[in-house]
Structures are given as structure tokens and as C-alpha cells.
């Protein structure tokens, strides 16, 4: 028994080991199959040498590929230019990093810090451009190198195979020469690649320096705004006592001006072609405006009421300078602060020249004085590296500005001679001037006490907001004059839409231009006083805070986007329909009612598309819209049948066109003319002047009489009776003569006079005639009736009174009748 147990255990252990062996074998086989399926990853494929017979043709083809690679090497001179730009940028970055801290400490305003940031952003743009060019060419070079490496291995193996096959020497030499050319070109590309990679490394290090400078600049701006109430310089008297001499200050100012002028010349040389184009643009605009001046004068002479604002054409060169300089941001990739200062200085004279006529003569010196302050403020900003000089200039500016504001407050002709305008705006302008005076006084006190950055922020904001208002007023005036002249051109007047409402369009465009200028002024002024970003964040928080409505998250911005999108859709639809109705339909021949159907389809299509866009702008997906449509479909089965019936009926009315706008119809007790056909109901204007709303379903389901469906002809019938004994032929002749000379009566079908029969008291006749215009039926009917009366009177034809015979069966005894009837017995 023990023996049997041991043998059993032995057999069980053998089976267990056999099972483990089988499992491990299966795992090994699966792993081997997996590796075999994946294939070798890093082992290169064996090189297939070129057949001896293919070596000449393949060598010729390889020559073409080598020419492409050599062309790439020939264009490597562009890397010399990139290297020079990178070297110039590295030098500028090195100098800028050294002088960054002193420059930031000397900066007394956000504008000065912004100018420093702009210079670094220009360097960043330059480095990004170089990096982009290098990256693009690196990819091309890498592809060429990979291809040449593969070709080199093939040709080297082909040379070996040709030698082993004892191929002719010419064939072996051709293969070896091709391999040598490939190796040479490959080596050159490798060197070019190493050069490009080195340049990329230099650009990367330069970009790191730029980012460091930008971070410091941004931190300094934040520090300036957060520490405005911290004194950063000694009081004016303390700094003046320990300051440098006047000669030294003058020398510093001269050095800064020379530096500014040198930077202007250097930048102009770099973009001389665009500067030349801008000068040519200036001359072309000036010539066009000189030519337009003649047309403006002729127009003003013909319509003196439209002369407002057209005086700018009397200054064509000033307006040309303004318009040519306004496109500077579009012509140049980036405009440096020095160039912006130069553009601002050049704009002073043309802006004054254009704006001065807008003001009363007594107030014009204030504008000239403001322009002088602008130039002085530019000089102060220029010599900001000499803080004491800049401080004295700033105080002089503020004092002069205070004198100017006091003079404006005391001026009795602040708004000219328009008393009504004075009464409307004088209080607001005087309030603004008083606030300005207070801010200027605070700025002077802060600058004197050493709070220079606070003082410059306030003073710079006040003055530059005034400069900007002056510039925007000149731009608005120039745009208004150009738009007015353009609307009067022959091309514009060819459109009915423009010709009918020229003055209204000019006023609307001027209003929107003034609104845009006002919005720009507000945004820039808020930025000048360093409150725009905070206000923007506050508004952004209000607009984009999500509010939950069940499973839908909405914000105020989503609702505004929805409303504005719907509003824009209605505006676009209205504008397109106006163009169609006034300029398209009159020029094409369409069937009656077709224009209305086209307009309706376009209108509802635009509104529907706008609604879908508005729903998408709210962030509601189409799946939820599908749910809403499903709920809408369920509602049809309960209480919306009538609405849907009217809606479908409205679509049938639009496309089938059984009635049209302007048709005269009768529907039950409703009689009138169709005024509007809507999507749910239509409006009928009764002949008494009431507007009656009729559901569209009733127009299709009820019996409707349309007097003008196919044409506007209408038959009139006028009945008349004559006394018995009158000759009917005389009556017919008289009535026919009444129609002679009557306007609006159609000749075909011809008018008719019909003897209608014998009445109780008269011979009855009917005059029937067709009228060409249904709208004139009542008037023509009245005129014909009057003519009939005159014709009958002229023929002495009597129109009898109604007669009745009264037979009395009994009379009351109490009634006393005169004459012999009184003695008769009652019957």
C-alpha cells in the first residue's frame, strides 16, 4: 500500500512538471512569434547594390539629385545674413541687459516702461523670425542628408560589387566618381547643418535673455503701479541743490536728441523702400484730394446746405499727410517708439490745420498752445535719462496746462456762438475742465514732493487724452468729408439705395464714426490712467461667470452674444432686402409676387441661420437643440396646432401667392387692402383706415374674394330709372354720351348700357363699364354718375320719385276729412 502511494505521488509530480514545461513552452513560442511579427527595429536592411547595366542611368539620375543639394548649398548665403542679424541682436541684447536696470529705474511713467518693452519685443520678433527661418531650412537639410547617406551606402556597395565582378574600368570609375561626389556633397551639407544648429543655439540663448528682460520690464511696470504712493526721488529743492550744472544738463539733452535722431535715420535706412512708398502714397493722395476739391466746391455751390465739414478739401495737403501717416502701422512690421514719436510730431501741423476751422476764432489759440505742449512733452520724454531736466520740463508743462485750462474756464465763447449748443454742453465741459484743473494741480504737487511716477501718470494722462481727442476729431472730420463726397459720386448715385437717402447715410456713417472715435478715446484714456486692465478684469469676471440653469451653464457674455447675433441677423436681413427692393428688383423682370417670395425666403433664411449661430454662441450644442425640437413636436399635439397651421399657411401664401401685398380683398366682413403677409398672420388695411390682423389659416380655408389677383381691372355698375313714357333709345344714347371723355374707363371690354326691365315706378337701366385701376373705382364711379345725371338733365329725361297708391278700408269717425270724402260712409 505504501508502495502504491509513493508511486502515485511520483506520477502526480511528473504530471505537474510536465504541465509546467508545456506552459513555459507555449509562453516562449508566443513571445517568439510576437518578436518575429514585430520584426527587427534597429537592424538596417541589407544594401542592394546597383546592377552593372543600371549604373550609367542611375549615375545620371543621381547627378540631378546632387544638383538639388548643391543648389541648397548655393543658397547658404542667406545664413550669412541670418548670422549677421543674430550677431546684431546678441550685441543689442547684451547692451540692453547691462543698461536695463538703470533704464527702468530712470523710467518715470508707464509710457517709458512701455517703450523699453517695445524695444525688447522688437528684438524678440527678430529672433523668432530667425528661428523660424533656421527651423524651416534645418528640415530641408536633414532630408537631403538622410537621402545622401542612403545613396552613398548604395554606391559604395555598388563599387565593391563592380570590382568583384571584374566590371570594365570605365563603369567602376563612374560608380566611384558618383560615390565621391555624393560623399563630398554630404560632407558640405553636414558642415552647413552644424552651422545652422549652432545658429539655433545662439538664437535660443538670445531668446532666453529677451525673456529675462521682458519679465523684469513687466515686473517693473507692476511695481510702478503698486507703489505710486511711494516717493522715489527727493523733493525738488533737495535734488536741485545737489544737482548738476546747467551746462551738464544741456549736454545730456543734446546727447539724447542726437541718439533719437540717429535711431530714426537708422530705422529709415532699414525700410527705405517702404518709406519711399509712403511718400509716393502721400503725393498720390494729395493729387486725388486736389482733384476732389473741385468736385467738392461744385457740390457745395449746388447744395449750400451740405457744406458742413467740406472745408477740409480746402486743405488737401494736410489731409493727405494725415491719411498717409495713418497707414504706417499697416506698412511696417513694427514701429519703434522713436518712429512713433516722429510720426506724432509730423502730425501736429496737419491736425491743427484741419481742426482749427471747427472752433471759434477766439478759442483757436488754445489749440495751438495745446500743440506746443505736445512738442514740449515729447522733449521731456526724450531727456528722461536726465531726471532733473525732465522734472523741470514736466512742471513747466503742468503750469502751462493749468493756465490754459483757467483761460478756457473763463472764456465766454467756449463753444462758439451757438447758444443752444452752449446750453446743452457747457455745464458738462466746464465740469470736465474743473476736474482737469484739479488733476493738474495734484500732478504739480506730487512732482514737487518727489512722487514723480504718480505725477507723470496723472499729468501725462490728462495731456495725452487731450492730444488724442484733437487727433480723433481731425480723423472724424476727414472721414466724414471723404464719405460725403464718395456718396455724391456718379458711381454711388447710380444705386437707388444711396440716391434716395444720401444725407441719411452720411449722417448714419458720421454717427458710427464718432461713436468709434469716442470708444477709442475712452479705452486709451483709461489705459493712460492705468485703470483699463483692472476694469477689463472686473467686466470679464462679470461677463464670463457661469450661472447654472438646470443642466445648462450660461453667462452674461453668452446671453449678450445670443442677443447681438440675433440683432445682427435682423440688421443684415433688413439691409439685403433693402438693396434687393430698391436696386435689384426694379432692374429685372419678375412675375407679380416673385420679389416678395424671394425676399421672404432670404429674410427667414438669414434669421434662422442667425438663430442657429446665436444658440451656438451661447454654448448650447445641437443635441440639446434636438431635445428642444422634440419637446416642440410634443407641444404640437396639445396646443400649437393653430400656430403651426398658420405658419404652414404663411409659407403657402408666400410660395403659391394667392394673395399679394397691395391686393384688394373681401374675407367675410373684412374688406380692405393687404398691407403685410407675415409668417403667422397677415395685416389688412380696411378702406376706413383700420388695420385688421387675419390669421393665415383663415386666408386659405375661408372663402376669399381677391379683386386684384390677376389684374387690377374692376367693373362698375350704376343703375338708374326714368319715368314711364320716356323713349328708351334716348335714354341709352344719353347714358352712352356720359362716358365720353371719362378717364380710367377701358375701351375693351366696351362699356354697355342695358335696359334692365320695367320697375314699379320707372324704366330701369344699368350702365356697365370696366375701370383700369381698382384703386380708382370709387372716384371714377362718382364721376360717371355725375356725368349720367348731367346727360339726362340735358335731354329733359325725368328720373321719377317712388309712387304708392293708398287704399283706405276704414276711417275712424273722429277723423274729419276735408271735401266730399267726409260725408261718405266708411266701408
Amino acid at each position: 500500500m505504501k508502495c502504491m502511494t509513493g508511486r502515485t505521488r511520483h506520477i502526480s509530480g511528473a504530471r505537474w512538471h510536465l504541465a509546467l514545461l508545456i506552459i513555459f513552452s507555449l509562453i516562449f513560442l508566443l513571445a517568439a512569434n510576437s518578436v518575429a511579427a514585430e520584426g527587427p527595429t534597429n537592424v538596417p536592411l541589407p544594401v542592394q547594390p546597383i546592377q552593372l547595366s543600371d549604373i550609367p542611368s542611375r549615375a545620371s539620375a543621381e547627378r540631378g539629385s546632387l544638383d538639388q543639394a548643391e543648389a541648397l548649398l548655393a543658397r547658404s548665403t542667406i545664413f550669412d545674413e541670418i548670422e549677421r542679424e543674430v550677431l546684431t541682436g546678441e550685441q543689442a541684447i547684451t547692451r540692453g541687459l547691462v543698461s536695463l536696470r538703470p533704464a527702468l529705474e530712470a523710467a518715470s511713467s508707464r509710457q517709458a516702461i512701455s517703450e523699453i518693452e517695445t524695444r525688447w519685443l522688437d528684438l524678440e520678433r527678430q529672433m523668432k523670425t530667425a528661428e523660424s527661418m533656421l527651423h524651416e531650412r534645418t528640415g530641408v537639410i536633414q532630408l537631403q542628408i538622410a537621402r545622401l547617406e542612403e545613396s552613398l551606402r548604395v554606391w559604395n556597395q555598388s563599387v565593391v560589387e563592380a570590382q568583384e565582378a571584374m566590371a570594365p574600368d570605365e563603369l567602376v570609375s563612374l560608380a566611384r566618381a558618383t560615390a565621391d561626389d555624393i560623399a563630398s556633397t554630404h560632407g558640405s551639407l553636414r558642415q552647413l547643418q552644424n552651422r545652422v544648429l549652432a545658429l539655433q543655439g545662439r538664437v535660443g540663448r538670445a531668446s532666453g535673455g529677451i525673456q529675462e528682460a521682458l519679465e523684469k520690464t513687466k515686473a517693473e511696470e507692476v511695481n510702478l503701479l503698486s507703489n505710486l504712493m511711494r516717493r522715489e526721488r527727493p523733493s525738488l529743492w533737495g535734488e536741485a541743490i545737489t544737482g548738476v550744472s546747467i551746462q551738464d544738463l544741456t549736454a545730456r539733452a543734446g546727447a539724447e536728441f542726437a541718439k533719437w535722431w540717429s535711431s530714426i535715420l537708422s530705422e529709415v535706412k532699414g525700410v527705405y523702400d517702404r518709406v519711399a512708398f509712403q511718400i509716393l502714397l502721400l503725393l498720390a493722395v494729395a493729387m486725388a484730394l486736389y482733384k476732389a476739391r473741385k468736385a467738392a466746391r461744385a457740390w457745395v455751390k449746388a447744395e449750400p446746405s451740405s457744406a458742413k465739414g467740406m472745408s477740409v478739401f480746402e486743405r488737401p495737403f494736410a489731409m493727405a499727410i494725415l491719411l498717409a501717416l495713418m497707414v504706417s502701422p499697416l506698412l511696417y512690421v513694427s514701429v519703434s517708439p522713436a518712429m512713433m514719436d516722429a510720426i506724432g510730431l509730423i502730425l501736429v501741423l496737419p491736425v491743427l490745420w484741419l481742426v482749427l476751422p471747427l472752433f471759434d476764432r477766439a478759442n483757436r489759440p488754445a489749440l495751438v498752445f495745446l500743440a506746443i505742449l505736445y512738442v514740449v512733452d515729447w522733449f521731456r520724454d526724450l531727456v528722461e535719462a536726465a531726471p532733473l531736466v525732465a522734472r523741470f520740463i514736466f512742471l513747466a508743462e503742468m503750469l502751462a496746462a493749468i493756465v490754459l485750462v483757467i483761460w478756457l474756464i473763463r472764456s465766454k465763447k467756449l463753444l462758439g456762438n451757438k447758444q443752444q449748443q452752449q446750453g446743452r454742453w457747457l455745464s458738462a465741459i466746464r465740469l470736465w475742465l474743473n476736474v482737469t484743473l484739479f488733476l493738474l494741480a495734484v500732478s504739480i504737487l506730487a512732482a514737487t514732493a518727489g512722487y514723480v511716477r504718480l505725477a507723470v501718470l496723472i499729468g501725462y494722462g490728462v495731456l495725452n487724452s487731450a492730444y488724442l481727442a484733437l487727433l480723433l476729431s481731425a480723423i472724424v472730420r476727414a472721414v466724414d468729408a471723404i464719405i460725403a463726397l464718395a456718396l455724391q459720386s456718379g458711381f454711388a448715385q447710380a444705386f437707388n439705395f444711396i440716391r434716395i437717402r444720401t444725407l441719411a447715410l452720411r449722417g448714419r456713417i458720421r454717427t458710427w464714426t464718432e461713436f468709434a472715435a469716442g470708444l477709442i478715446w475712452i479705452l486709451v484714456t483709461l489705459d493712460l490712467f492705468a485703470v483699463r486692465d483692472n476694469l477689463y478684469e472686473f467686466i470679464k469676471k462679470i461677463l464670463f461667470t457661469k450661472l447654472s440653469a438646470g443642466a445648462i451653464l450660461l453667462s452674461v457674455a453668452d446671453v449678450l452674444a445670443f442677443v447681438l447675433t440675433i440683432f445682427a441677423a435682423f440688421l443684415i436681413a433688413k439691409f439685403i432686402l433693402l438693396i434687393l427692393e430698391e436696386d435689384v428688383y426694379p432692374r429685372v423682370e419678375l412675375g407679380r409676387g416673385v420679389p416678395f417670395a424671394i425676399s421672404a425666403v432670404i429674410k427667414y433664411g438669414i434669421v434662422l441661420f442667425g438663430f442657429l449661430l446665436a444658440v451656438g454662441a451661447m454654448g448650447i450644442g445641437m443635441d440639446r437643440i434636438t431635445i428642444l425640437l422634440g419637446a416642440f413636436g410634443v407641444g404640437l399635439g396639445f396646443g400649437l396646432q393653430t400656430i403651426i397651421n398658420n405658419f404652414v399657411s404663411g409659407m403657402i401664401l408666400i410660395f403659391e401667392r394667392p394673395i399679394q401685398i397691395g391686393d384688394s380683398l373681401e374675407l367675410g366682413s373684412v374688406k380692405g387692402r393687404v398691407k403685410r403677409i407675415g409668417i403667422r398672420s397677415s395685416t389688412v388695411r380696411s378702406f376706413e383706415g383700420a388695420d385688421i390682423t387675419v390669421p393665415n389659416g383663415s386666408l386659405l380655408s375661408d372663402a376669399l374674394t381677391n379683386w386684384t389677383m390677376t389684374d387690377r381691372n374692376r367693373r362698375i355698375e350704376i343703375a338708374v330709372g326714368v319715368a314711364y313714357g320716356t323713349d328708351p333709345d334716348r335714354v341709352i344714347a344719353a347714358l352712352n354720351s356720359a362716358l365720353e371723355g371719362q378717364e380710367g374707363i377701358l375701351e375693351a371690354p366696351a362699356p354697355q348700357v342695358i335696359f334692365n326691365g320695367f320697375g314699379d315706378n320707372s324704366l330701369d337701366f344699368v350702365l356697365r363699364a370696366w375701370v383700369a385701376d381698382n384703386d380708382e373705382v370709387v372716384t371714377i364711379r362718382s364721376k360717371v354718375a355725375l356725368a349720367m345725371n348731367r346727360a339726362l338733365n340735358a335731354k329733359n329725361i325725368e328720373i321719377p320719385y317712388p309712387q304708392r297708391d293708398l287704399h283706405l278700408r276704414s276711417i275712424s269717425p273722429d277723423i274729419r276729412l276735408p271735401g266730399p270724402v267726409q260725408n261718405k260712409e266708411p266701408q
Side-chain angles (χ1 to χ4, degrees):
M1 190 67 181
K2 290 182 179 180
C3 181
M4 291 295 295
T5 303
R7 185 178 299 175
T8 302
R9 290 177 179 175
H10 179 71
I11 293 173
S12 300
R15 290 177 178 175
W16 172 253
H17 290 297
L18 181 61
L20 289 178
L21 180 61
I22 293 172
I23 291 173
F24 282 116
S25 299
L26 290 175
I27 292 174
F28 176 76
L29 290 174
L30 290 174
N33 291 331
S34 175
V35 172
E38 293 178 1
T41 56
N42 297 323
V43 178
L45 295 175
V47 177
Q48 295 293 332
I50 302 173
Q51 298 292 329
L52 296 180
S53 59
D54 294 337
I55 287 179
S57 60
R58 291 285 296 274
S60 178
E62 193 66 43
R63 184 70 263 170
S65 300
L66 289 175
D67 289 340
Q68 294 179 1
E70 290 173 358
L72 181 61
L73 290 172
R75 292 195 300 268
S76 63
T77 53
I78 192 173
F79 296 109
D80 298 334
E81 182 180 351
I82 295 175
E83 189 170 9
R84 285 193 297 270
E85 291 181 0
V86 171
L87 179 60
T88 303
E90 288 175 337
Q91 294 173 352
I93 292 169
T94 302
R95 292 193 303 269
L97 289 175
V98 172
S99 60
L100 179 60
R101 177 50 56 190
L104 291 176
E105 291 177 353
S108 60
S109 63
R110 292 178 68 237
Q111 183 200 20
I113 297 177
S114 178
E115 291 178 356
I116 296 173
E117 184 180 15
T118 300
R119 287 194 289 269
W120 285 103
L121 288 175
D122 288 340
L123 288 173
E124 183 183 36
R125 178 190 56 78
Q126 181 181 348
M127 291 297 108
K128 284 185 177 180
T129 302
E131 182 181 6
S132 177
M133 295 174 65
L134 291 172
H135 179 74
E136 179 182 354
R137 284 158 177 78
T138 299
V140 177
I141 294 172
Q142 183 62 39
L143 289 176
Q144 287 289 344
I145 289 176
R147 190 193 65 80
L148 290 177
E149 287 178 349
E150 180 65 24
S151 297
L152 184 59
R153 290 197 301 124
V154 171
W155 281 100
N156 285 334
Q157 185 64 30
S158 299
V159 170
V160 174
E161 292 290 336
Q163 290 175 346
E164 292 179 353
M166 304 297 292
D169 294 339
E170 293 81 1
L171 201 61
V172 175
S173 299
L174 178 60
R176 184 178 292 109
T178 303
D180 293 341
D181 291 341
I182 294 174
S184 176
T185 305
H186 178 266
S188 300
L189 284 177
R190 277 290 186 188
Q191 293 178 0
L192 182 60
Q193 184 186 38
N194 294 333
R195 182 185 178 188
V196 172
L197 292 175
L199 282 174
Q200 285 182 318
R202 291 170 62 183
V203 169
R205 289 190 296 272
S207 298
I210 292 172
Q211 291 301 319
E212 178 185 355
L214 289 174
E215 291 174 359
K216 291 181 179 179
T217 305
K218 195 64 179 179
E220 185 64 26
E221 182 178 2
V222 174
N223 179 62
L224 182 147
L225 296 176
S226 59
N227 294 290
L228 286 174
M229 303 307 296
R230 181 177 62 85
R231 177 188 294 179
E232 66 273 3
R233 300 196 69 83
S235 59
L236 183 63
W237 50 87
E239 188 172 11
I241 294 174
T242 59
V244 296
S245 63
I246 299 296
Q247 292 81 3
D248 190 13
L249 296 178
T250 305
R252 288 186 182 181
E256 291 296 329
F257 179 79
K259 181 180 177 182
W260 176 82
W261 182 250
S262 175
S263 64
I264 292 291
L265 293 179
S266 176
E267 188 166 355
V268 169
K269 290 179 181 178
V271 290
Y272 68 90
D273 52 343
R274 299 184 183 182
V275 175
F277 173 78
Q278 194 168 15
I279 294 174
L280 293 176
L281 178 64
L282 168 64
L283 296 176
V285 172
M287 293 176 62
L289 291 175
Y290 269 109
K291 186 176 180 180
R293 181 171 62 177
K294 298 180 180 179
R297 287 175 176 175
W299 180 36
V300 170
K301 186 177 180 180
E303 299 183 20
S305 59
S306 61
K308 181 180 179 182
M310 300 303 295
S311 60
V312 294
F313 285 104
E314 299 300 325
R315 298 164 177 81
F317 195 70
M319 191 158 65
I321 294 175
L322 176 65
L323 296 177
L325 291 178
M326 286 296 100
V327 300
S328 296
L330 302 177
L331 291 177
Y332 306 101
V333 178
S334 63
V335 183
S336 66
M339 184 65 75
M340 288 297 298
D341 291 340
I343 293 174
L345 291 174
I346 296 174
L347 279 174
V348 169
L349 289 179
V351 168
L352 274 180
W353 204 356
L354 292 172
V355 173
L356 282 178
L358 296 177
F359 292 84
D360 189 76
R361 188 177 297 274
N363 293 325
R364 292 177 185 177
L367 299 179
V368 177
F369 195 63
L370 185 63
I372 294 174
L373 284 180
Y374 178 83
V375 178
V376 173
D377 188 69
W378 162 79
F379 185 73
R380 177 197 63 80
D381 186 58
L382 185 66
V383 299
E384 197 169 27
L388 186 59
V389 178
R391 199 168 173 188
F392 274 113
I393 295 176
F394 178 77
L395 288 173
E397 280 185 85
M398 296 301 103
L399 290 172
I402 286 177
V403 172
L404 176 62
V405 172
I406 293 175
W407 180 76
L408 288 174
I409 291 175
R410 296 171 62 90
S411 175
K412 296 181 180 180
K413 294 184 178 182
L414 188 60
L415 292 175
N417 296 321
K418 300 179 181 179
Q419 298 296 330
Q420 184 178 1
Q421 193 178 21
Q422 284 187 3
R424 183 179 179 183
W425 296 105
L426 187 59
S427 300
I429 291 181
R430 290 193 182 280
L431 176 62
W432 179 75
L433 290 174
N434 287 322
V435 173
T436 301
L437 184 63
F438 172 75
L439 292 176
L440 292 173
V442 171
S443 180
I444 287 179
L445 293 176
T448 304
Y451 298 90
V452 179
R453 290 185 169 180
L454 175 62
V456 171
L457 178 68
I458 297 174
Y460 181 81
V462 171
L463 292 182
N464 278 274
S465 64
Y467 305 149
L468 181 63
L470 196 63
L471 175 62
L472 290 176
S473 64
I475 295 175
V476 168
R477 189 180 183 199
V479 170
D480 176 57
I482 293 174
I483 292 297
L485 194 62
L487 291 176
Q488 287 295 328
S489 65
F491 176 78
Q493 290 296 307
F495 294 96
N496 298 328
F497 169 74
I498 297 177
R499 187 178 63 256
I500 295 173
R501 51 180 63 81
T502 301
L503 295 178
L505 280 176
R506 180 187 176 186
R508 187 68 60 86
I509 295 174
R510 182 171 59 244
T511 300
W512 282 105
T513 306
E514 291 173 351
F515 174 78
L519 184 62
I520 292 173
W521 183 84
I522 291 173
L523 294 176
V524 175
T525 300
L526 291 175
D527 185 60
L528 290 173
F529 287 98
V531 297
R532 187 179 67 180
D533 292 340
N534 294 332
L535 182 63
Y536 173 76
E537 291 298 328
F538 176 73
I539 295 176
K540 182 179 177 181
K541 185 176 181 180
I542 292 177
L543 292 179
F544 294 98
T545 299
K546 294 292 185 179
L547 302 175
S548 61
I552 300 176
L553 293 178
L554 293 177
S555 65
V556 178
D558 296 333
V559 177
L560 286 177
F562 178 84
V563 174
L564 292 177
T565 305
I566 294 293
F567 180 70
F570 276 102
L571 282 183
I572 294 172
K574 183 178 180 181
F575 177 76
I576 292 177
L577 295 185
L578 196 61
I579 296 294
L580 290 174
E581 292 170 1
E582 296 190 359
D583 282 295
V584 177
Y585 296 151
R587 291 178 168 87
V588 295
E589 295 184 1
L590 296 174
R592 186 170 176 268
V594 174
F596 174 76
I598 296 174
S599 298
V601 171
I602 292 176
K603 175 184 176 181
Y604 294 124
I606 293 176
V607 171
L608 178 61
F609 182 70
F611 175 77
L612 295 177
L613 288 180
V615 172
M618 288 186 67
I620 300 177
M622 294 304 297
D623 53 343
R624 295 178 180 176
I625 297 179
T626 305
I627 295 174
L628 292 177
L629 292 177
F632 182 72
V634 174
L636 294 179
F638 293 95
L640 300 179
Q641 299 97 331
T642 304
I643 295 177
I644 296 302
N645 177 37
N646 291 327
F647 175 80
V648 175
S649 299
M651 302 308 300
I652 294 174
L653 290 175
I654 290 174
F655 290 102
E656 187 178 332
R657 292 174 281 141
I659 62 172
Q660 303 298 325
I661 293 177
D663 282 353
S664 295
L665 55 81
E666 294 182 16
L667 180 68
S669 61
V670 177
K671 297 180 181 180
R673 184 175 291 108
V674 179
K675 182 179 179 182
R676 182 187 67 88
I677 300 176
I679 198 68
R680 187 193 64 83
S681 63
S682 300
T683 303
V684 177
R685 179 100 172 163
S686 69
F687 298 121
E688 291 77 18
D691 288 336
I692 304 172
T693 300
V694 180
N696 289 333
S698 300
L699 294 174
L700 290 180
S701 60
D702 298 346
L704 181 144
T705 302
N706 189 345
W707 291 102
T708 55
M709 180 175 179
T710 56
D711 55 42
R712 302 193 65 80
N713 298 343
R714 179 83 174 267
R715 194 182 75 174
I716 59 174
E717 292 186 1
I718 303 176
V720 64
V722 299
Y724 275 99
T726 307
D727 185 3
D729 293 332
R730 289 180 61 223
V731 175
I732 292 174
L735 294 181
N736 281 325
S737 66
L739 295 175
E740 295 178 357
Q742 292 289 342
E743 296 181 356
I745 300 295
L746 294 176
E747 296 181 358
Q752 291 179 330
V753 177
I754 300 174
F755 181 36
N756 208 28
F758 302 93
D760 293 339
N761 305 299
S762 62
L763 301 175
D764 296 333
F765 294 85
V766 175
L767 185 147
R768 295 175 179 174
W770 285 88
V771 178
D773 189 356
N774 180 75
D775 295 337
E776 301 294 330
V777 167
V778 177
T779 302
I780 295 176
R781 182 187 181 90
S782 175
K783 291 180 180 179
V784 172
L786 291 174
M788 291 168 61
N789 183 62
R790 288 193 297 267
L792 293 175
N793 289 334
K795 297 290 186 179
N796 294 321
I797 298 175
E798 179 184 0
I799 300 176
Y801 292 102
Q803 298 179 5
R804 293 288 185 270
D805 291 335
L806 181 64
H807 300 275
L808 299 177
R809 297 182 61 84
S810 63
I811 299 176
S812 173
D814 297 333
I815 298 176
R816 300 177 62 85
L817 299 176
V821 180
Q822 185 176 3
N823 297 324
K824 291 183 178 180
E825 291 296 332
Q827 298 178 358

